[in-house]
Amino acid sequence: MEQKKKSPNKLKLLAGYYKPYKRLFFADLFFAVLGSAVTLVIPLLVRYIMNSVGAMPTSEAKGIILQIGIGMLVLILVQLGSRYFITYYGHMMGAYIEHDMRNEIFSHYQKLSFTFYDNQKVGHLLSRITSDLFDISELLHHGPEDILISFIKLLGAFIILLNVNWKLALISIGIVIVMLVYALIFNKKMKYAFKENRARIADINSQIEDSLAGIRVVKSFGNEKREMEKFAKGNERFVDAKRLTYRYMAGYHSGMDAFTTLITVASLVAGAFFLTDGTLSAADLVTFLLYINNFTEPVTKLVNFTEQFQNGYSGYDRFLEMMAIAPDIADAPDAVSLDHVDGDIRFEEVSFRYEENQEEVLSHVNLEVKPGEYVALVGSSGAGKTTLCSLIPRFYDVSDGRILLDGRDIRQIKLKDLRRQIGIVQQDVYLFAGTIMENIRYGKPGASDEEVIRAAKAANAHDFIMEMPADYDTDIGQRGVKLSGGQKQRLSIARAFLKNPPILIFDEATSALDNESEKVVQDSLEKLAKDRTTFVIAHRLSTIRNARRILVLTEEGIAEEGTHKELLAKDGVYARLCEAGL
Ligand code: DGT
Ligand code: MG
């Protein structure tokens, strides 16, 4: 089983991601501070012009106004530059960090075993890499910046306004506090509704994905109408979920707008009173109004931050959880390298179960296969043939007993070396989106075109490939949908030819091939098996008739063994399997 280990100090780990971008990070903060300082200074200059310049002689005043005007223009340029810097470089820093984390999690994915993937949905693994990491990087770059900007603006504006007129300052900060509380309450409700929404949309999406991926089944059963109905129901629920979210969103935004106007109006009314008292000058009132933005903007920023923090931090939690899963199949510390193997394979008392609390699929299997031997494995569906073969390259580790390769326990061999010795043609062939050439070359990265073509010829695939629209450069579509079953299998055999391993596992497709391609596949398989230790999981009589050694696998292990004739003469499990057409 995969194990979870306890993570060390989370925040420290998180901060570690800034490390390579320390300079960028501090530059980002510097420009954030600079930009907000400029925003605070401009209204002060306005106040200066209004207060002092009016009392000066005209010619002198004009000169000073021009100077201050130019000064403000410079400040605007500084603000522009700062704003550009934090938007561009700040986001880029986020992208770099996201890039690093993506690398980390993707290479982690590559290490995890089959057991892990058996229990995961690809969609979820994908969302770890995409949406979670995006949330984290947003938090990492906006978080520190937003907090700094908000505090400088809020505190700076408050201190300046206290000095301009403390009574008016207290009135507006009072309203800002009420506004903040309102925003936090509504934001919390909105967040909850959004979360519900996302869950609902994820459900609907997975239903759509399922239905589209299975469109061939849908059509073959003529169930388009049912799918439409199912979809329509989900789609209705989508609208319902959105309704609540938008209600809260409307409350939030209209409330925030109203509060912003309220601060202006309250300052104006109170200010006008003070004006008539003579305790406030017109210039100060204007200054006040110019600062209102500095109050309201941080409120929205801070509220957004609480949301960003929750999303980013829970994304980070999930990221750590994933990274903490230790691969359960890895090299033993004392594993040895293997260069060449003869291909002698021995199963000693091998038992295996997929999950700890499940029944054993294989129990006490003993088997010896000599180098170069051709062994056919038959048995009813679900007997464990595929399972038995997947133990040899250590896709899963045995639960009990051991498997030896050339007399050495396979757990003592470096995984990479072990798997290099084994070629597998799987029951359901997996081809990657791309060209035929690329897919065959997957068997031996770096192989020349000639080598690929030679392998294709050996696998009897060359002729059909040459008939394709762009021969070897033909795009085969996602998972090779543009090819027939037999063609896919032959490409897979070509891959194995190219890899040229001493041990071969051929898991015959259960779905019937037509007679013609069956014969071609059979022929290419026999060529491939020559001089290799070969396991063939057979579902067709034609595949095994010539095998000198046939193993019959049942729930009780290997029940019978012999040639086709011998086994028929026994009139046991094999004979019955043959009667049923295997
Ligand atoms: P086939 O291909 O239909 O002729 O059947 P076999 O003999 O290749 O059967 P196999 O080895 O795929 O499955 C043996 C048993 O193990 C069967 O009850 C299903 C179960 N099984 C197969 N793969 C997995 C898996 O990935 N996880 C779990 N938990 N069980 C599995
Ligand atoms: Mg199978």
Side-chain angles (χ1 to χ4, degrees):
M1 275 290 94
E2 316 271 354
Q3 284 165 8
K4 289 190 178 168
K5 52 181 187 228
K6 203 99 190 108
S7 58
N9 193 335
K10 271 199 252 176
L11 275 178
K12 214 168 141 191
L13 270 177
L14 190 59
Y17 285 99
Y18 285 117
K19 229 175 187 175
Y21 313 107
K22 227 190 280 172
R23 278 170 52 192
L24 203 53
F25 175 66
F26 286 113
D28 187 55
L29 290 189
F30 171 76
F31 282 108
V33 173
L34 190 66
S36 20
V38 170
T39 332
L40 287 175
V41 170
I42 290 181
L44 279 181
L45 291 178
V46 174
R47 180 177 182 232
Y48 177 78
I49 293 184
M50 296 190 67
N51 266 342
S52 7
V53 176
M56 294 177 189
T58 327
S59 59
E60 196 187 330
K62 274 188 180 159
I64 289 191
I65 291 175
L66 206 65
Q67 274 175 17
I68 293 183
I70 291 172
M72 289 209 275
L73 210 63
V74 172
L75 287 181
I76 290 173
L77 286 179
V78 171
Q79 197 180 24
L80 180 115
S82 313
R83 188 64 204 239
Y84 184 86
F85 188 94
I86 57 177
T87 310
Y88 177 64
Y89 286 104
H91 275 103
M92 279 316 291
M93 180 184 72
Y96 291 139
I97 293 179
E98 191 179 335
H99 162 269
D100 294 351
M101 292 178 119
R102 275 169 175 240
N103 262 346
E104 216 173 299
I105 198 166
F106 190 76
S107 59
H108 185 63
Y109 280 167
Q110 301 293 321
K111 283 186 219 138
L112 295 174
S113 67
F114 281 39
T115 310
F116 171 81
Y117 285 100
D118 290 349
N119 295 315
Q120 291 285 331
K121 289 200 188 87
V122 174
H124 286 201
L125 297 178
L126 191 67
S127 83
R128 285 298 92 82
I129 289 196
T130 52
S131 61
D132 278 0
L133 290 193
F134 178 73
D135 284 345
I136 299 172
S137 79
E138 280 289 286
L139 169 66
L140 286 183
H141 104 260
H142 277 303
E145 179 187 296
D146 279 358
I147 287 191
L148 202 63
I149 293 178
S150 303
F151 272 98
I152 290 177
K153 283 194 174 172
L154 208 58
L155 213 67
F158 187 56
I159 291 171
I160 292 172
L161 290 185
L162 270 183
N163 281 310
V164 174
N165 186 302
W166 66 270
K167 280 188 274 183
L168 212 48
L170 287 183
I171 291 174
S172 37
I173 200 78
I175 300 178
V176 167
I177 289 171
V178 179
M179 179 177 172
L180 187 64
V181 173
Y182 177 89
L184 285 176
I185 292 174
F186 259 86
N187 195 262
K188 198 168 166 189
K189 290 191 181 189
M190 215 158 74
K191 213 154 44 195
Y192 173 74
F194 265 123
K195 211 165 130 191
E196 290 280 287
N197 244 355
R198 268 208 291 264
R200 191 109 9 130
I201 289 173
D203 280 351
I204 297 171
N205 281 351
S206 69
Q207 192 203 321
I208 296 176
E209 191 193 323
D210 212 28
S211 157
L212 289 186
I215 191 77
R216 288 169 180 81
V217 181
V218 173
K219 284 189 181 291
S220 69
F221 282 94
N223 274 348
E224 291 96 332
K225 204 154 163 257
R226 269 182 71 104
E227 290 297 320
M228 287 278 293
E229 280 162 14
K230 240 170 42 187
F231 176 76
K233 223 180 266 167
N235 218 7
E236 290 297 318
R237 294 215 332 258
F238 162 81
V239 174
D240 285 340
K242 284 264 158 162
R243 186 168 289 127
L244 189 66
T245 325
Y246 287 142
R247 192 158 278 158
Y248 286 133
M249 201 157 130
Y252 174 75
H253 287 295
S254 59
M256 295 305 272
D257 279 353
F259 273 112
T260 309
T261 321
L262 183 66
I263 296 178
T264 314
V265 170
S267 309
L268 203 65
V269 171
F273 265 109
F274 297 143
L275 208 64
T276 53
D277 278 357
T279 47
L280 184 80
S281 70
D284 285 348
L285 185 56
V286 172
T287 315
F288 235 97
L289 296 180
L290 287 178
Y291 271 110
I292 283 173
N293 249 346
N294 284 317
F295 270 154
T296 51
E297 197 200 286
V299 172
T300 11
K301 263 212 163 78
L302 285 176
V303 171
N304 284 345
F305 172 75
T306 60
E307 189 178 333
Q308 230 165 44
F309 184 79
Q310 284 201 348
N311 288 346
Y313 209 71
S314 56
Y316 181 58
D317 259 342
R318 285 192 292 267
F319 172 78
L320 283 184
E321 233 170 67
M322 187 60 72
M323 297 302 293
I325 298 175
D328 59 354
I329 295 190
D331 280 341
D334 54 347
V336 295
S337 300
L338 266 195
D339 246 357
H340 167 83
V341 302
D342 297 330
D344 175 280
I345 292 173
R346 216 167 336 137
F347 279 59
E348 286 181 356
E349 290 292 309
V350 168
S351 298
F352 177 75
R353 51 163 66 94
Y354 277 101
E355 315 269 344
E356 262 161 52
N357 46 7
Q358 271 180 10
E359 259 184 71
E360 281 182 341
V361 178
L362 302 172
S363 96
H364 303 285
V365 173
N366 286 295
L367 174 65
E368 200 184 336
V369 181
K370 300 244 159 49
E373 203 174 2
Y374 183 105
V375 176
L377 214 54
V378 298
S380 55
S381 182
K385 306 179 293 291
T386 303
T387 307
L388 185 133
C389 287
S390 61
L391 295 180
I392 303 172
R394 276 188 83 197
F395 289 154
Y396 301 91
D397 268 340
V398 295
S399 312
D400 227 331
R402 57 184 195 155
I403 300 174
L404 306 170
L405 170 60
D406 288 357
R408 179 176 273 127
D409 191 325
I410 54 171
R411 283 169 295 192
Q412 295 300 320
I413 301 171
K414 289 213 164 108
L415 257 188
K416 206 162 161 254
D417 291 332
L418 174 69
R419 291 186 183 160
R420 214 180 33 218
Q421 311 296 343
I422 304 170
I424 301 169
V425 178
Q426 253 144 355
Q427 194 162 18
D428 32 27
V429 175
Y430 193 95
L431 296 171
F432 295 98
T435 65
I436 290 181
M437 184 68 88
E438 286 163 0
N439 265 289
I440 299 179
R441 190 174 282 136
Y442 206 78
K444 182 182 169 193
S448 68
D449 286 4
E450 288 70 44
E451 282 181 90
V452 171
I453 293 170
R454 214 178 311 134
K457 280 183 178 158
N460 292 342
H462 183 71
D463 290 345
F464 90 77
I465 294 172
M466 293 314 281
E467 278 166 26
M468 308 288 288
D471 51 74
Y472 281 87
D473 293 324
T474 310
D475 186 272
I476 55 169
Q478 194 101 42
R479 293 180 192 190
V481 285
K482 295 182 193 165
L483 298 175
S484 76
Q487 289 172 337
K488 279 195 261 189
Q489 200 120 48
R490 274 178 278 161
L491 287 194
S492 178
I493 293 174
R495 261 185 198 166
F497 263 116
L498 199 57
K499 186 174 180 182
N500 194 21
I503 300 163
L504 183 73
I505 296 169
F506 184 91
D507 200 344
E508 193 171 61
T510 24
S511 53
L513 300 177
D514 60 78
N515 278 339
E516 192 60 29
S517 41
E518 188 182 313
K519 246 173 60 201
V520 196
V521 170
Q522 175 63 27
D523 181 52
S524 47
L525 166 66
E526 270 163 25
K527 268 198 262 172
L528 180 60
K530 208 162 162 277
D531 299 328
R532 302 174 210 269
T533 307
T534 307
F535 289 81
V536 178
I537 301 173
H539 294 102
R540 271 176 286 279
L541 271 176
S542 59
T543 320
I544 36 174
R545 209 164 265 147
N546 302 326
R548 244 168 287 144
R549 189 167 170 208
I550 300 170
L551 304 175
V552 184
L553 195 68
T554 65
E555 320 274 272
E556 279 78 48
I558 296 170
E560 295 172 9
E561 191 178 332
T563 62
H564 178 63
K565 266 196 186 140
E566 287 165 10
L567 288 174
L568 274 188
K570 243 188 201 160
D571 196 24
V573 187
Y574 182 78
R576 251 166 287 133
L577 273 172
C578 281
E579 271 164 35
L582 278 178

